[in-house]
Amino acid sequence: LHRVDRRQRQMCIRDSINAEYGVSAMLGNFFLLALLCTCFSYSMAYKPVLMLHGFSYDAEHGTFHDFDQISQWLQESHPGQIAISLDVFNGVNSMTGLWHQLPFIISVIRNITSGSAFKDGYHFLGHSQGGLLMRCIVESMQDHKVDTLITMAGVQYGQYGLGAVNKFFPNMTLEAVTDLLYTKVMQEDFSAANFWHIPTDPEEYMKQNIFLPILNNEVRTTSSQDYKSNFIRINKLHLLGSPADTTLDPWQTSLFSFWDTNFNIVPIHQQKIYTEDTFGLKTLDLAGKLTIKAVPGIEHSHWLSNKTNFLENVLPYLI
């Protein structure tokens, strides 16, 4: 009888343990599944980000590694968000003519975004020349699904200063540099020539520059309507620049403002490309889709290395 009682007690204890730990295991699995679903949903809530570097005349800069820190900060703030810095035209190859770069980068983007993670759209983030190229890609890519375009110190309305090219032309005047950059060979093969914008002679700029006036629809082509139609399909455009930028001349080019013939800054809302809505800036603005922000104290390259600036002025747009 004692043996029977002991066996019954052992069976009761075993059943109790199984019941207790079985329920605990079930609860543990439930909470683990809920946690995984929450994390998955959290990462899926953020759209992927494609990033493009700027111009450089050496192998160490102007590469996809320019965005290493930003990619790290993005993962810290938005765990699981896809962030891809485009591995294209790195270093000295960033000087390749923009008409050569544009179709190749579009093909790379199409290949990347063919996956299911990109089916609901993605963001573009570009720095300097990369900001200009990302804008031109939006205009040129009829099948894009760009939700938000963010350009940091983008050379959007061109450059007229030696800040970016002084290494090549250290002892030349701006007039002499203009004559050189507006030659056929430089226009075809040198990216900085494609955004060289002489303010004192608008007709010369539109005649000799084979890239920027066309993408601005200042010079009409058979692609002009497509450029505008493609551009206005984005949901948001954020233009970021800084008065502390000593590389861009003028720094306001990053905000689509530029000099007139007397070197007075004409703001974006008074520029012909805006008032005549040549490629869609005014359309986006009237729809509440355009942000223009001048951030004090950010040097040209510091858009890539200043964490506080990124968290305050860039990250909020990458959702």
Side-chain angles (χ1 to χ4, degrees), residues 52-102:
L52 184 59
H53 63 80
F55 171 97
S56 179
Y57 41 73
D58 62 51
E60 301 300 320
H61 306 93
T63 78
F64 69 100
H65 286 301
D66 284 3
F67 283 92
D68 284 354
Q69 287 182 292
I70 284 180
S71 297
Q72 178 182 339
W73 301 332
L74 198 57
Q75 288 306 307
E76 292 171 357
S77 301
H78 294 170
Q81 184 172 19
I82 297 172
I84 300 174
S85 183
L86 299 176
D87 186 4
V88 293
F89 296 99
N90 297 301
V92 295
N93 291 323
S94 67
M95 295 186 289
T96 303
L98 296 184
W99 278 124
H100 298 296
Q101 293 197 41
L102 192 61

Side-chain angles (χ1 to χ4, degrees), residues 1-11:
L1 288 174
H2 291 297
R3 285 196 298 271
V4 172
D5 290 342
R6 188 182 304 113
R7 186 177 299 114
Q8 288 177 337
R9 286 197 298 272
Q10 290 173 345
M11 291 176 64

Side-chain angles (χ1 to χ4, degrees), residues 63-317:
T63 78
F64 69 100
H65 286 301
D66 284 3
F67 283 92
D68 284 354
Q69 287 182 292
I70 284 180
S71 297
Q72 178 182 339
W73 301 332
L74 198 57
Q75 288 306 307
E76 292 171 357
S77 301
H78 294 170
Q81 184 172 19
I82 297 172
I84 300 174
S85 183
L86 299 176
D87 186 4
V88 293
F89 296 99
N90 297 301
V92 295
N93 291 323
S94 67
M95 295 186 289
T96 303
L98 296 184
W99 278 124
H100 298 296
Q101 293 197 41
L102 192 61
F104 181 85
I105 299 174
I106 288 175
S107 68
V108 170
I109 290 173
R110 282 195 175 118
N111 184 56
I112 292 173
T113 58
S114 62
S116 59
F118 298 84
K119 65 182 178 63
D120 294 323
Y122 41 86
H123 304 312
F124 275 179
L125 175 61
H127 175 245
S128 193
Q129 177 179 281
L132 170 62
L133 270 170
M134 282 303 212
R135 189 256 291 186
C136 295
I137 289 168
V138 168
E139 291 184 45
S140 305
M141 189 174 172
Q142 292 189 341
D143 55 341
H144 78 75
K145 294 183 179 180
V146 178
D147 181 271
T148 299
L149 168 61
I150 307 167
T151 74
M152 307 180 299
V155 59
Q156 296 296 349
Y157 211 174
Q159 165 93 359
Y160 188 69
L162 298 178
V165 295
N166 188 55
K167 181 179 178 67
F168 300 99
F169 319 114
N171 300 311
M172 295 178 65
T173 65
L174 282 171
E175 292 76 13
V177 171
T178 299
D179 290 341
L180 177 61
L181 294 183
Y182 280 172
T183 60
K184 182 178 179 180
V185 63
M186 295 297 276
Q187 283 293 310
E188 289 181 350
D189 297 327
F190 187 44
S191 65
N194 295 145
F195 52 80
W196 192 258
H197 183 173
I198 177 173
T200 54
D201 194 344
E203 291 185 5
E204 184 75 358
Y205 152 71
M206 287 191 283
K207 178 181 178 181
Q208 302 298 341
N209 189 315
I210 67 170
F211 185 82
L212 189 59
I214 293 176
L215 272 299
N216 286 347
N217 276 348
E218 296 169 288
V219 173
R220 304 291 295 182
T221 69
T222 55
S223 299
S224 292
Q225 186 55 51
D226 287 337
Y227 290 155
K228 184 174 182 178
S229 298
N230 295 335
F231 186 70
I232 62 177
R233 286 198 293 109
I234 62 175
N235 288 324
K236 292 289 183 181
L237 169 63
H238 302 290
L239 304 172
L240 306 176
S242 176
D245 193 325
T246 58
T247 298
L248 298 184
D249 290 317
W251 71 267
Q252 293 94 332
T253 183
S254 55
L255 310 179
F256 279 106
S257 300
F258 206 75
W259 287 310
D260 63 13
T261 56
N262 295 313
F263 290 95
N264 299 307
I265 287 293
V266 179
I268 177 175
H269 297 99
Q270 297 175 27
Q271 294 286 350
K272 184 177 178 179
I273 57 173
Y274 179 92
T275 59
E276 297 188 5
D277 202 26
T278 59
F279 64 93
L281 282 175
K282 187 175 182 179
T283 296
L284 292 182
D285 194 18
L286 294 178
K289 297 180 178 182
L290 173 62
T291 300
I292 304 167
K293 191 171 186 179
V295 182
I298 306 298
E299 229 326 342
H300 191 71
S301 63
H302 294 174
W303 288 97
L304 302 168
S305 60
N306 188 313
K307 185 175 183 179
T308 300
N309 175 62
F310 174 77
L311 295 178
E312 292 181 356
N313 297 306
V314 182
L315 182 67
Y317 303 136

